[in-house]
Amino acid sequence: MSEVNRIVIVGGGTAGWLTAGLLAATHSGADNNGQRLSVTVIESDAVPPIGVGEGTWPTMRRTLATIGISEAELVTQASATFKQASKFVNWYSDNGRNQDNSYYHPFSAPQGSATLDITPYWLTTAQTHSHYAQDVCFQPALCDAGLAPKLTANGKQSFTANYGYHLDAGQFISLLRRHCVNRLGVTHLVDKVTQVNTQADSPEAGIVSLQTQQSGKIEGDLFVDCSGFSGLLINKALGVKLKDASHRLFANSALVCQAPFENETAPIPCHTLSTAQEAGWIWDIGLQHRRGTGYVFSREHQDVDRAADTLSRYLSQVAPSMATPDAFREIQFKTGYRETFWHNNCVAIGLSSGFLEPLEASSLMLIEQSAMLLAEQLPANTTIMSKVSQRFNSRLTYLWERTIEFLKLHYVLSNRPEAFWQDNKQRGSIPERLADLLEEWRYRPILDSDFPQANEAFSAQSYRYILYGMGPKTDFNWDMSTTERSLKHHNFATKQGQLNQTLIGQLKERLPSHRGLVESFFQS
Amino acid sequence: MTRPSYVTLDTQQHKDTGITQDPGFSHARAFNLVTIGFNEIASLSGCMPIVIVNDTKPEYTLAAVVGMAPFDNLFCGKAQWLGHAIPLSIQSHPFNYALDNQSLRVLINDADERVSQQATPSTRLFSSDGQPTSLLKHYQSILSNLVSGQQQAKAFIEIIANLNLLTPLSTTLTLQDGQEVVSNDLLTIDETRLAELEKDTVMELHEQGVLIAIHAMMLSLRQYNRLVQLSQHHENSAVKVSLKLAKD
């Protein structure tokens, strides 16, 4: 048995530094013998970070608070802006009627949800033209009006809508690195790992040390693989395979473009805009001085030149100067996740653990969840490590499977006619659990108890926003007649609808624009 | 004090304009009576007397008494407002409004000392995208409450005047040196005539939300004692106040 005192993280992208920060901040003290946890990040200057993870969930606020980075630092040093929702445009077709084909997935819960979920009442009264999110939650109206989620930079005492961030991945990494090194005592080695030394005769011991180009041999008790797609430790050294999920989610490439705002004082959208296209969808997020855009598509359904035309067409509407394929960078990827995330004394976090398309910004969330769980469950010694790793693996597998199901939900519901979209509705491509739930949801509302784990990746409410945001516009029909037997709080539900409208009116009178809130963080 | 110079607030013209805060509302130091809206009666009546001023005939105005000769505004402390409620028209300074066909036009007194042309993030009125900041929205909301409250006040006064419910109020303030200061230009509710109203009329006033305002006005006269109390910080403070309700 040996104690776990030395953590070595390979890779200095978002995953590496978030993990380092969470580990170092969580275990910042010393034990009875004065022993401290040492955290080392080995970062190669030859491998640039992928840097597409630019949208976060509200969970990032707690993550950053744990690490000790303030919101003001994030806004002033990582070009961060606020994200209140995802808006899905053209994910369904209205057969050429050309209406506003969009719906929202806001971060705030419906009005009254602390007391009662009013969704069943909405379902029994909804018309085809009703918009679920707008009817039950104030947040889509704030997004439409370009308003911020709170009054001021220090809005702790006053109203705050739930929000996450949009951020510049490169600047975010620099901020995390500075913070980890200067304030959390993380050791930073800029070096290249040339060899991974494993203990062949004792498999449970796993990795013993890493050979580096300049710093010699680096020993550790636990190794975290944040090396990105290459999976230097988990895959190349330990041979853990990727479980393919490309039969569920078809996108396998992204054309990425960073486009400056045409005008530096342009309004900043306070939501991720996701616009469906022939063979995928385009993300569009507003940072302080530029937008981050990209087209996630399936090369099986559209060749890259035509995909570039699709992205150009989109950009010509919002950022004409960038509407040229020369400005695009292609990232090809394989959708899937590791068969085990924690193998022996090696944990994979970030792109080395798997990849999912950026729909619903799940990549940073999965990094946060993994790193948080690792920091929380960090084993004291090698004897109990296998127990912890089993729990970690089953938890992470659960999260990845649930995330894939939730992403798939967006595609399954669409009624778009193109091959990419129709293929997505093929029964064989839909995870069984999701297919079963969808069948049940034709006859009853989505229940919190459909998602029984304490720490679900996506709550029942997220499912409601997608299913009821899109279902009524497509061919997902429901029959709630038996549900009506159990509905006893119509007055409460009606009142919540009215309160929602009142709240929207009040908030519009008080909240600054999104750019206005961002500017309030900068002292002149 | 510089002469006010109200101009229409404009996104372009005022893009670098900022407003500093003055928690003591010192601009109102010389005020005795402040015009208020009907929607302010509830919050103000527990803090200061609410009366009707009749020196503006033919139109009466609803007003809060914030000070009395020789003290002026007794709520203006050195660094803070000495009450839990502040009339909207004092809060709205240095803004004002004009009504163009029922739509509100915000005016700003560019000459006011709280107005600066070098705004900081915490004082600015517009963000760089030309949208109002939460600070300006705060003032806009005060102004819109002010407008609706004053329109309602007009209707309220008309109702109580038509019912002949107003009676002159005379106040006599006795100062420490024995001097008495009498004020005669105010009106208040005539309790006797209120008691004599027909049941149906009372019900109607109740349903209109007017009855509670009438009662609040009556009870607010107790706040004259607060004014006496607030005068303790002043030289030759008041020792007592007596109120007399006279028939016309």
Side-chain angles (χ1 to χ4, degrees):
Chain A
M1 171 185 109
S2 64
E3 285 184 7
V4 174
N5 293 323
R6 299 165 301 173
I7 313 258
V8 179
I9 298 170
V10 176
T14 318
W17 288 109
L18 266 179
T19 306
L22 281 167
L23 281 168
T26 308
H27 302 273
S28 58
D31 69 12
N32 287 340
N33 305 317
Q35 178 70 52
R36 290 175 177 278
L37 184 75
S38 100
V39 180
T40 302
V41 174
I42 307 176
E43 177 175 22
S44 158
D45 56 1
V47 187
I50 292 283
V52 291
E54 302 198 316
T56 87
W57 282 19
T59 50
M60 186 57 81
R61 287 153 63 193
R62 201 182 67 149
T63 299
L64 291 177
T66 306
I67 295 176
I69 291 177
S70 70
E71 182 167 90
E73 288 173 293
L74 191 72
V75 172
T76 55
Q77 295 175 40
S79 197
T81 56
F82 296 82
K83 174 179 177 182
Q84 300 190 66
S86 293
K87 183 180 185 182
F88 298 94
V89 179
N90 293 336
W91 279 67
Y92 55 88
S93 151
D94 64 358
N95 301 319
R97 285 200 298 278
N98 206 17
Q99 284 156 1
D100 171 26
N101 291 346
S102 68
Y103 71 98
Y104 276 99
H105 173 194
F107 281 144
S108 289
Q111 191 75 29
S113 59
T115 309
L116 181 78
D117 173 32
I118 59 173
T119 307
Y121 300 87
W122 184 88
L123 287 175
T124 54
T125 55
Q127 313 283 315
T128 47
H129 55 79
S130 303
H131 288 286
Y132 172 68
Q134 278 87 334
D135 287 348
V136 301
C137 178
F138 62 89
Q139 208 154 21
L142 299 191
C143 292
D144 281 340
L147 296 176
K150 58 180 182 176
L151 282 174
T152 58
N154 301 310
K156 280 194 181 115
Q157 288 84 23
S158 56
F159 170 87
T160 302
N162 201 14
Y163 64 82
Y165 302 107
H166 287 139
L167 43 83
D168 181 295
Q171 291 176 18
F172 183 47
I173 292 169
S174 304
L175 170 63
L176 286 168
R177 185 193 295 125
R178 275 197 303 279
H179 182 84
C180 286
V181 172
N182 298 336
R183 288 198 249 165
L184 296 174
V186 172
T187 306
H188 179 206
L189 291 181
V190 180
D191 211 333
K192 193 170 178 234
V193 174
T194 52
Q195 193 181 313
V196 180
N197 303 313
T198 52
Q199 199 161 345
D201 53 335
S202 165
E204 71 277 7
I207 299 168
V208 180
S209 64
L210 303 175
Q211 197 64 43
T212 61
Q213 215 157 46
Q214 291 154 33
S215 322
K217 202 177 351 172
I218 310 291
E219 294 185 334
D221 305 312
L222 182 72
F223 293 83
V224 188
D225 186 346
C226 299
S227 64
F229 284 133
S230 70
L232 203 59
L233 311 187
I234 193 85
N235 178 237
K236 290 194 174 139
L238 300 178
V240 177
K241 298 250 170 338
L242 213 55
K243 201 187 280 181
D244 182 58
S246 58
H247 60 300
R248 305 276 188 229
L249 298 168
F250 303 151
N252 53 13
S253 180
L255 288 172
V256 181
C257 174
Q258 297 186 347
F261 283 127
E262 304 291 296
N263 160 6
E264 63 176 20
T265 60
I268 312 170
C270 206
H271 50 271
T272 297
L273 197 59
S274 158
T275 309
Q277 307 291 339
E278 182 184 327
W281 58 279
I282 289 175
W283 78 79
D284 185 350
I285 68 165
L287 302 182
Q288 290 169 18
H289 307 294
R290 66 165 172 90
R291 42 176 90 232
T293 60
Y295 179 27
V296 185
F297 65 102
S298 157
R299 271 175 161 255
E300 317 308 321
H301 293 87
Q302 192 179 33
D303 68 45
V304 70
D305 292 338
R306 282 181 45 229
D309 290 344
T310 302
L311 183 56
S312 295
R313 240 190 338 270
Y314 178 86
L315 285 170
S316 67
Q317 305 290 317
V318 296
S321 63
M322 300 302 286
T324 154
D326 306 343
F328 306 161
R329 174 166 69 110
E330 189 186 13
I331 302 169
Q332 291 191 50
F333 54 83
K334 207 167 162 178
T335 297
Y337 52 97
R338 293 288 160 202
E339 286 168 346
T340 54
F341 300 94
W342 188 328
H343 187 75
N344 294 333
N345 63 344
C346 173
V347 186
I349 295 179
L351 297 176
S352 61
S353 68
F355 186 86
L356 296 177
E357 57 169 272
L359 187 64
E360 297 282 2
S362 53
S363 71
L364 278 177
M365 176 276 289
L366 286 163
I367 292 172
E368 287 176 83
Q369 293 273 353
S370 308
M372 226 31 127
L373 192 63
L374 174 62
E376 192 180 290
Q377 302 246 329
L378 190 68
N381 56 56
T382 48
T383 315
I384 56 166
M385 195 181 283
S386 66
K387 306 291 172 210
V388 177
S389 65
Q390 276 173 30
R391 187 179 306 117
F392 187 92
N393 285 328
S394 88
R395 171 90 190 117
L396 262 296
T397 303
Y398 183 87
L399 282 180
W400 280 80
E401 285 176 351
R402 295 297 85 78
T403 303
I404 288 170
E405 286 166 6
F406 184 64
L407 301 193
K408 184 69 176 179
L409 175 73
H410 297 65
Y411 292 106
V412 169
L413 293 172
S414 177
N415 63 348
R416 285 184 66 111
E418 298 96 330
F420 170 80
W421 297 91
Q422 287 303 311
D423 287 353
N424 257 299
K425 296 171 82 88
Q426 293 292 325
R427 185 64 179 77
S429 77
I430 306 172
E432 201 161 336
R433 202 184 104 113
L434 177 64
D436 289 349
L437 281 169
L438 280 168
E439 196 50 38
E440 283 188 64
W441 291 337
R442 290 187 183 277
Y443 305 101
R444 65 162 176 85
I446 297 174
L447 300 171
D448 290 347
S449 50
D450 292 337
F451 303 89
Q453 291 233 348
N455 232 337
E456 289 282 353
F458 293 90
S459 66
Q461 191 47 50
S462 289
Y463 276 81
R464 291 183 191 116
Y465 280 131
I466 304 305
L467 181 62
Y468 305 135
M470 204 158 154
K473 322 289 179 189
T474 64
D475 40 18
F476 184 87
N477 298 310
W478 58 69
D479 171 5
M480 293 290 149
S481 49
T482 54
T483 295
E484 292 201 42
R485 296 194 297 227
S486 63
L487 300 184
K488 299 183 176 68
H489 303 283
H490 291 91
N491 289 343
F492 177 84
T494 309
K495 183 123 188 261
Q496 300 316 303
Q498 291 158 355
L499 282 175
N500 189 46
Q501 293 307 315
T502 310
L503 183 60
I504 290 170
Q506 289 170 348
L507 292 175
K508 282 186 173 175
E509 281 181 12
R510 294 174 63 201
L511 291 167
S513 71
H514 183 201
R515 188 176 283 284
L517 175 64
V518 169
E519 285 175 352
S520 73
F521 281 84
F522 291 87
Q523 296 305 313
S524 58
Chain B
M1 197 189 264
T2 329
R3 210 177 124 82
S5 140
Y6 282 105
V7 296
T8 300
L9 187 69
D10 177 80
T11 308
Q12 271 310 312
Q13 192 188 335
H14 295 101
K15 67 185 166 65
D16 297 319
T17 302
I19 302 289
T20 53
Q21 299 303 301
D22 172 14
F25 297 96
S26 55
H27 73 276
R29 198 166 287 283
F31 296 1
N32 282 343
L33 292 166
V34 181
T35 306
I36 65 163
F38 180 75
N39 52 0
E40 297 179 77
I41 294 178
S43 59
L44 295 177
S45 61
C47 188
M48 53 195 68
I50 309 291
V51 296
I52 306 265
V53 185
N54 77 350
D55 62 352
T56 47
K57 269 180 184 167
E59 278 200 19
Y60 292 145
T61 41
L62 187 64
V65 185
V66 292
M68 289 182 295
F71 303 113
D72 292 340
N73 191 340
L74 288 156
F75 289 93
C76 281
K78 281 201 177 66
Q80 60 174 331
W81 181 259
L82 304 172
H84 63 268
I86 310 165
L88 290 175
S89 67
I90 289 181
Q91 290 185 59
S92 66
H93 184 84
F95 294 92
N96 211 328
Y97 67 86
L99 282 179
D100 307 328
N101 296 324
Q102 292 303 306
S103 91
L104 181 82
R105 183 153 53 90
V106 176
L107 307 175
I108 182 169
N109 177 7
D110 269 346
D112 192 89
E113 56 189 22
R114 282 170 59 192
V115 177
S116 131
Q117 298 314 320
Q118 280 107 37
T120 66
S122 59
T123 66
R124 64 172 54 249
L125 299 175
F126 293 101
S127 44
S128 72
D129 53 0
Q131 296 300 310
T133 59
S134 53
L135 180 69
L136 176 55
K137 284 196 166 183
H138 168 72
Y139 284 108
Q140 286 172 331
S141 129
I142 289 175
L143 291 172
S144 84
N145 282 333
L146 195 61
V147 174
S148 57
Q150 293 188 346
Q151 287 166 347
Q152 292 159 3
K154 229 169 135 180
F156 169 64
I157 292 171
E158 203 173 297
I159 292 172
I160 54 179
N162 287 344
L163 289 170
N164 206 15
L165 287 178
L166 291 174
T167 183
L169 167 71
S170 149
T171 62
T172 307
L173 202 60
T174 310
L175 304 182
Q176 219 162 27
D177 63 3
Q179 188 193 337
E180 288 191 341
V181 186
V182 183
S183 154
N184 281 320
D185 52 3
L186 304 177
L187 300 173
T188 185
I189 302 293
D190 185 325
E191 291 184 42
T192 319
R193 280 203 287 268
L194 179 67
E196 289 165 0
L197 287 181
E198 298 290 328
K199 265 189 191 160
D200 290 351
T201 314
V202 174
M203 184 53 91
E204 203 179 320
L205 291 176
H206 170 64
E207 283 168 358
Q208 291 168 327
V210 165
L211 193 58
I212 190 168
I214 290 174
H215 286 144
M217 275 185 71
M218 287 158 62
L219 290 171
S220 76
L221 297 184
R222 304 268 168 160
Q223 302 301 330
Y224 269 106
N225 293 318
R226 183 190 300 259
L227 299 179
V228 170
Q229 199 181 23
L230 285 170
S231 79
Q232 301 312 305
H233 309 294
H234 296 251
E235 263 180 51
N236 195 16
S237 58
V239 289
K240 69 168 185 177
V241 63
S242 51
L243 309 184
K244 210 170 91 194
L245 274 60
K247 303 268 181 207
D248 268 322

